Amino acid sequence: MFGIQNRRDLTMELQSQIPILRPSIHARRANIVVKFQDMYGFTVEGNVDDVNVLNEVRERVRNQGRVWWALEASKGANWYLRSSDTLSIGDGGIALKTSLKISALANAITLKRLVRKGIPPVLRPKVWFSVSGAAKKKSTVPESYYSDLTKAVDGMVTPATLQIDHDLPRTFPGHPWLDTPEGHAALRRVLVGYSFRDSDVGYCQGLNYVAALLLLVMKTEEDAFWMLAVLLENVLVRDCYTTNLSGCHVEQRVFKDLLAQKCPRIASHLDDMGFDVSLVATEWFLCLFSKSLPSETTLRVWDVLFYEGAKVLFHAALAIFKMKENELLMTHQVGDVINIIHTTSHQLFDPDELLTVAFEKIGSMTTNTISKQRKKQEPAVMAELDQRLRRLNSLKETGKNT
């Protein structure tokens, strides 16, 4: 599905996607707010310092691209997909098998380091589709699955399709492609198609932003659909987007516990103030930072998300708090905390700044550790949701009898 291109052509394509931003001389002389488009077409507001940061980031992206091309040259195309399970082993015996396992392990270590430093934009669709498991998931169904699905559900009306239609014009308004009839139609087909694929999820607000960003990266509707499928079915907590959002409630409780462990001074100060972290973190976990971080920073988080799993969401969320620890400890009002977090996240134009804190200052968090935290929180969340449902049903009955 991905055409074979000359490496030189790919390099030129990458460079063409990453223009150098040059503010006017008037903007350079005065520290005023300037508007410009990032590489995915989003309008960004910032000062000249922000423009300079973005230019530095784009130069690092170019350099990182050269590293990937060099590895493709030395290890071969798609080297990151190789493992001892996929490579054929003949009669060479144990030595060859051991050698292949060591090679696969070396590739995995190299890939983890590379992914954390960022996947070049031109390679991102291909790498995501492979390492996330989307390609494998797609291979289990007929080739015409997505086309057949979209045709079969065309014209059907459900509560999910009505909500999707309501949300389309509110999804990244002003974007030069997403906010057009063509963009709306493509996003609608992906979201409606998935709502019929998984009726337990159907559609949840927040998925529109996730699917929209997937469309921009993956280029095709079908690939965006399968990325959404693997994300909801394999990468994230299963119940994050179901009707009662039980999975999302669990994630909020886990995040609060992790904040107390990793940033105890911040957690204690916020508790004393009566600040609930879900006021800012709910949107992060539902929209996967797509509404909160600049697009290029969001996609760097997603690079790791699709390779290492959902633990990176906790790393990134904790890092945002950690980066502003001193300022947060000086706050006395809930509104001040929200303003600091909101401003910080929206101005994180340098992905490396966020990810360095996320992985080097927050410390290690294994998927197994987070899974144990989730299991610990699930009973309390389910009890709380059950109590809420009983209360609602009681109010309904009282209303009928009056």
Side-chain angles (χ1 to χ4, degrees):
M1 60 185 289
F2 297 99
I4 299 174
Q5 287 180 273
N6 180 278
R7 192 172 292 105
R8 181 188 176 109
D9 293 337
L10 287 172
T11 304
M12 293 301 292
E13 182 179 344
L14 173 62
Q15 289 176 345
S16 69
Q17 289 184 13
I18 313 175
I20 295 295
L21 303 173
R22 294 185 175 87
S24 71
I25 189 169
H26 302 291
R28 289 198 296 270
R29 287 175 177 171
N31 191 27
I32 62 173
V33 173
V34 293
K35 289 186 178 182
F36 47 89
Q37 279 193 347
D38 65 19
M39 70 175 71
Y40 289 96
F42 292 99
T43 299
V44 179
E45 289 189 2
N47 57 33
V48 178
D49 288 338
D50 295 326
V51 174
N52 291 334
V53 167
L54 274 174
N55 283 331
E56 291 172 6
V57 168
R58 292 173 183 201
E59 183 58 33
R60 291 202 295 269
V61 169
R62 288 191 186 88
N63 292 333
Q64 186 68 359
R66 295 185 188 103
V67 173
W68 282 79
W69 306 136
L71 283 167
E72 292 243 328
S74 63
K75 293 176 176 285
N78 302 328
W79 60 271
Y80 43 83
L81 299 181
R82 296 177 190 165
S83 70
S84 56
D85 293 326
T86 57
L87 289 172
S88 59
I89 300 173
D91 297 327
I94 296 175
L96 177 56
K97 189 172 183 178
T98 302
S99 175
L100 289 172
K101 285 185 176 180
I102 293 173
S103 176
L105 178 60
N107 281 348
I109 294 171
T110 300
L111 181 58
K112 181 177 180 178
R113 186 176 69 250
L114 283 174
V115 167
R116 287 190 176 188
K117 288 185 176 180
I119 302 170
V122 72
L123 278 180
R124 192 168 267 145
K126 177 183 175 183
V127 176
W128 278 11
F129 205 70
S130 300
V131 301
S132 67
K136 184 176 182 180
K137 185 176 287 288
K138 181 184 176 183
S139 70
T140 63
V141 299
E143 280 191 30
S144 60
Y145 178 93
Y146 179 71
S147 176
D148 293 343
L149 176 63
T150 54
K151 289 176 183 176
V153 303
D154 186 36
M156 291 188 180
V157 178
T158 66
T161 65
L162 292 174
Q163 187 61 56
I164 289 168
D165 288 334
H166 181 69
D167 288 346
L168 287 175
R170 303 192 299 178
T171 307
F172 298 125
H175 187 276
W177 182 75
L178 288 171
D179 195 14
T180 65
E182 181 187 359
H184 288 173
L187 180 57
R188 186 183 193 278
R189 284 189 290 269
V190 170
L191 291 171
V192 170
Y194 193 80
S195 75
F196 280 91
R197 173 181 168 86
D198 188 342
S199 57
D200 288 337
V201 171
Y203 170 73
C204 174
Q205 288 178 303
L207 289 179
N208 50 321
Y209 295 99
V210 174
L213 205 47
L214 286 173
L215 272 172
L216 290 180
V217 174
M218 302 306 296
K219 308 301 183 186
T220 71
E221 282 180 42
E222 187 171 8
D223 287 352
F225 172 85
W226 286 112
M227 287 302 300
L228 184 65
V230 81
L231 186 64
L232 299 183
E233 296 165 17
N234 301 94
V235 178
L236 301 176
V237 172
R238 180 62 179 161
D239 296 328
C240 254
Y241 297 95
T242 50
T243 304
N244 63 4
L245 298 177
S246 60
C248 185
H249 289 294
V250 170
E251 299 294 75
Q252 298 307 306
R253 284 174 172 258
V254 171
F255 176 61
K256 186 175 181 179
D257 280 355
L258 290 173
L259 187 66
Q261 293 173 25
K262 301 291 186 177
C263 308
R265 294 174 65 210
I266 297 175
S268 177
H269 180 72
L270 297 182
D271 280 343
D272 291 344
M273 194 188 301
F275 179 80
D276 185 349
V277 294
S278 66
L279 289 172
V280 293
T282 298
E283 182 180 275
W284 293 349
F285 284 89
L286 281 178
C287 300
L288 308 183
F289 295 102
S290 59
K291 283 186 67 181
S292 308
L293 296 174
S295 66
E296 294 171 48
T297 304
T298 300
L299 297 179
R300 283 287 301 278
V301 173
W302 287 16
D303 285 345
V304 186
L305 172 68
F306 287 123
Y307 185 58
E308 296 187 40
K311 68 177 184 177
V312 70
L313 301 178
F314 294 100
H315 276 280
L318 290 168
I320 292 171
F321 277 87
K322 184 67 175 177
M323 292 168 74
K324 292 296 176 180
E325 180 169 10
N326 291 336
E327 288 184 38
L328 289 171
L329 293 176
M330 297 292 289
T331 57
H332 301 287
Q333 303 292 330
V334 168
D336 294 334
V337 176
I338 293 175
N339 287 336
I340 290 171
I341 297 299
H342 181 273
T343 302
T344 300
S345 60
H346 281 75
Q347 293 179 350
L348 272 171
F349 295 109
D350 186 349
D352 291 315
E353 183 183 3
L354 173 68
L355 294 176
T356 297
V357 176
F359 292 114
E360 295 182 11
K361 294 188 178 180
I362 295 302
S364 175
M365 289 189 292
T366 66
T367 299
N368 187 48
T369 299
I370 292 174
S371 295
K372 288 180 180 178
Q373 290 269 22
R374 286 172 178 147
K375 288 180 180 178
K376 173 186 171 184
Q377 296 295 344
E378 281 172 2
V381 167
M382 298 312 295
E384 182 181 306
L385 292 174
D386 184 61
Q387 185 178 22
R388 187 182 302 175
L389 182 61
R390 290 172 184 270
R391 202 159 51 237
L392 287 172
N393 289 336
S394 176
L395 289 172
K396 288 179 181 178
E397 288 298 321
T398 302
K400 288 180 181 178
N401 296 329
T402 56

